[in-house]
Amino acid sequence: MAVNFKHDGGFFAPMRFEAQIEDCEVEGEIPADIRGTFYRSAADRRFPPLFANDTPYNSDGAIDMFRIYDGNVDFRSRYVRTARYDAERKAHKALFGLYRNPLTSDPSVRNVSHNTANTTPIVHGGRLFCMKEESPPTAVNPHTLETIGEWDFDGAMKATSFTAHPKQDPVTGEMIAFAYEAKGLCSDDLAVFIFDREGKLTKEMWFKTPIVSMMHDMVITDKHIILPTTAMVTSKERLDRGELHWAYDEDAPTYVAIIPRDGDASDIRWFKGSTDQHMVVHTTNARTEGNKIIMDAPVAGGNFHPYFPKLDGSFSDPADYVPTLRRWTFDLEADNDTWEEEILFDGIKVTTFVRMDDRYLTKPFRYSFMLMNDPSLPVAEAFADTLAVRVSNAIYRFDHDTGKIDKFYAGDSHGMSEPQFIPRSANAPEGDGYIIAAVNNFREMKSEVVIVDAMDFAAGAIARIKMPFRLHMQVHGYWASAEHLPF
Amino acid sequence: MAVNFKHDGGFFAPMRFEAQIEDCEVEGEIPADIRGTFYRSAADRRFPPLFANDTPYNSDGAIDMFRIYDGNVDFRSRYVRTARYDAERKAHKALFGLYRNPLTSDPSVRNVSHNTANTTPIVHGGRLFCMKEESPPTAVNPHTLETIGEWDFDGAMKATSFTAHPKQDPVTGEMIAFAYEAKGLCSDDLAVFIFDREGKLTKEMWFKTPIVSMMHDMVITDKHIILPTTAMVTSKERLDRGELHWAYDEDAPTYVAIIPRDGDASDIRWFKGSTDQHMVVHTTNARTEGNKIIMDAPVAGGNFHPYFPKLDGSFSDPADYVPTLRRWTFDLEADNDTWEEEILFDGIKVTTFVRMDDRYLTKPFRYSFMLMNDPSLPVAEAFADTLAVRVSNAIYRFDHDTGKIDKFYAGDSHGMSEPQFIPRSANAPEGDGYIIAAVNNFREMKSEVVIVDAMDFAAGAIARIKMPFRLHMQVHGYWASAEHLPF
């Protein structure tokens, strides 16, 4: 069965190959104090989808690594060999149907795991996990990228799903995660898991949700776990009708669960927000101060997923719903279930991709690094209509103390991906280090990885790792220092 | 040590990455009767050369494979992990100097094997060898392409060099090979080796050559081994002066050694040709008929290697010395040391790359498949000056019985590589089968592999394996049927 994949040839096209490079080409010099591995997850469809209206979120997961040491860089990329990959590999064609609707898959594979492992790479307890929120993590060898398999934490993790955005507490070394639809598709079961530094499950709590809704990211403080719903909803009826898992419910409230880390399931508290607070897809940081919980995150007032329709099947224009950076303050002693909202930054709309110096997770912090859509930056005429150049053309360092922004701009035909922060050393002050980010050079149709001094954006890229080909579009990344993950 | 490789970005630029694809994209349908592996050797420099005048022949060897089965294609490419690769990998930079002159290499590696294993892949006795004429073969796992190491045939092969063009007798299954400069650089020692079907050395013969000259290819009959010199010469003095190994001696005679397969070293006979018969780089076929040996090969009257100067350091124009297909007939009973020459085909100049149905090696045969420079075929205006499109734009099937030619043309921005012949079945008549060849699509800057019915060139490509990237330029290839090499 020969594959014949029609695609547009741009950066959104699948890469479809796995590669390695020993000694990447580098323009500039990589600082000697950078030693570690930059992982990237990608969604890279191997076969044409069975349904034209399927979402890229349903593409095969791939994992890339850039290993940096002594100024050298080695690269490797691999597909994650999920059960789905293996089944389609054996058939030499697509068998799996619409996103999160196994009823649309070939009957031969409806009971095979639909896990694509395509969202986030995380290193915990010496293991590399490729995460996808509707499935358990997939363990991958962090040095060879060979797939080990779905990981249930030595049989301890019983949920059928697992967030792609667990949080690692920089003080205790714990990994805190959650699962929604945790007892199967469309179930209203929510679970929270706490793993110790080595990845042993030390605590689990199970809840019921007021709404079965996409819950993509979370945030933690030293005392609390915060879990927002979005207004993306699903139902058995949708799946029976052969539809995509998600639809956008314009009228759904936004719920935020707050759970004490040292409490039990009965201590959960659900806050309820407005329809203008619908879309917390990713979070920045949070902290507990007395009876208050302060959370910063990009939030949009409506659905910016272009692939998911409204409940009535029509589509809203995602451009109308670009996130602004907001601060939500929850008062645990208040006698209502709402919260205060402050807009921290809305001069220019932020994308949903934001990262920070993870050593300051759960703590008061100053800097966040946001992927931005800055229309003031020049775009080459040939790429003026290239969405991926226009909407993610800069990284902003945002100073949460002063509101000051500093911009990094990679070029006039360049789209950027979510950055990662690399501390200069384990004990360096907050923000003292580097930003690493993949860049899509549309003029050359090749990828680059830029390294920027995080406190000197004006100096531009210190080093550019020049790839001899176009990489797949990144979803999320992870920086594992050599101290955290020796090699 | 960051790598920063300045190159022109074209097909001659190094690829610098290793890749694999499970289920390549295919346009058209691959016939179900094709089952086997198409190997390609490439010269792909990992680091900028130490000397600007070095030749591409001195680039790191890589090996590609296309495994074809049930209409599917899997691809894999790897660098050959030679001792040279390993030393430069450890240093993260180039250490090896000019082609075949270790005196120009970094002192730390002058005694390390300079083998690049970049010329020809051959499967014999279940082993895949990557060949380079100044070094022993390098064994590579034929399924994973992992390097095993230099291969001395269980200690039996003592020469320091080994041709990249051994011949496999289709009747006896033997592999016949030779080595020149066989006792070290510039030595006038010539060795001939005969291995049985399993790769066991069964016979060796040692000779002295009248001239120390490049001897790139050979040809065999059922009774004889034929070894031509070229007029590329070398000397210790050249190497001491820090020069490239080869210079072209316009005045050197052409020698051809003829050795009976069942004879001994004393049976060698040296024929001596003119300066218009200088350049037999590759051969087509030969047979012994009574006391006559009839050899067909592309032959040029002068030096077409653009990298190698004349003895005085000046360069001739390689365009003046394009091969014509010639037949040389040697009479073993003649009392002179010359031979008869007939021009079989010179309407259009042939490149030096020619292949045939290898089941007819040593036998009377009808068809050869030549990479051609056909100026009558259309070239897109944008590529009119692209040498690699102009000079290898077609494959000709040449009928040695009738002189008739049939052309395969891949497109107006396409350069072609040496083809391989795939018999339709083990017992199919001569030429009944397919041609497989890599094609460089300069418009898309991507590679394709075309499959053509060898007896119906007019129908065009039956199938095109569409690569998602530009492959390195091929040197030579090899087709191993699944019967010859099971997988």
Side-chain angles (χ1 to χ4, degrees), chain B residues 48 69 138 156 168 171 194 198 203 240 333 364 382 384 389 412 420:
Chain B
Y69 57 98
T138 301
Q168 293 173 296
V171 177
I194 302 179
E198 279 74 42
K203 184 169 187 171
D240 287 340
E333 296 188 354
V389 175
D412 69 355
Q420 303 300 318

Side-chain angles (χ1 to χ4, degrees), chain B residues 436-449:
Chain B
I436 189 166
V439 174
N440 305 315
N441 182 333
F442 280 75
R443 188 174 278 118
E444 297 182 6
M445 280 312 289
K446 286 180 184 162
S447 298
E448 301 168 8
V449 171

Side-chain angles (χ1 to χ4, degrees), chain B residues 33-93:
Chain B
D33 51 12
I34 300 183
R35 190 176 188 86
T37 312
F38 173 40
Y39 294 102
R40 302 167 79 234
S41 280
D44 190 310
R45 210 177 256 284
R46 270 173 36 80
F47 296 105
L50 291 181
F51 298 90
N53 67 328
D54 199 9
T55 146
Y57 302 164
N58 199 24
S59 301
D60 300 282
I63 171 84
D64 302 344
M65 62 186 269
F66 291 85
R67 185 147 281 180
I68 303 179
Y69 57 98
D70 305 332
N72 306 301
V73 187
D74 296 336
F75 169 79
R76 179 177 289 234
S77 68
R78 288 290 182 274
Y79 278 107
V80 184
R81 296 306 196 274
T82 58
R84 167 174 157 151
Y85 182 105
D86 291 343
E88 294 192 339
R89 167 68 176 146
K90 205 171 157 189
H92 302 288
K93 64 177 184 181

Side-chain angles (χ1 to χ4, degrees), chain A residues 1 3 5 16-20 22-23 25-26 46 69 72 74 78 81 85 89 92 469, chain B residues 1 3 5 16-23 25-26 46 69 72 74 78 81 85 89 92 469:
Chain A
M1 194 71 56
V3 181
F5 208 141
R16 288 201 88 253
F17 63 97
E18 301 171 293
Q20 59 248 10
E22 295 189 324
D23 301 301
E25 286 189 62
V26 177
R46 272 174 33 82
Y69 57 98
N72 307 301
D74 296 337
R78 289 290 181 276
R81 297 308 197 272
Y85 182 105
R89 167 69 176 145
H92 302 288
F469 46 74
Chain B
M1 193 71 57
V3 181
F5 209 139
R16 288 201 88 253
F17 63 97
E18 301 170 294
Q20 58 248 10
I21 303 172
E22 295 189 324
D23 302 300
E25 286 189 61
V26 177
R46 270 173 36 80
Y69 57 98
N72 306 301
D74 296 336
R78 288 290 182 274
R81 296 306 196 274
Y85 182 105
R89 167 68 176 146
H92 302 288
F469 47 74

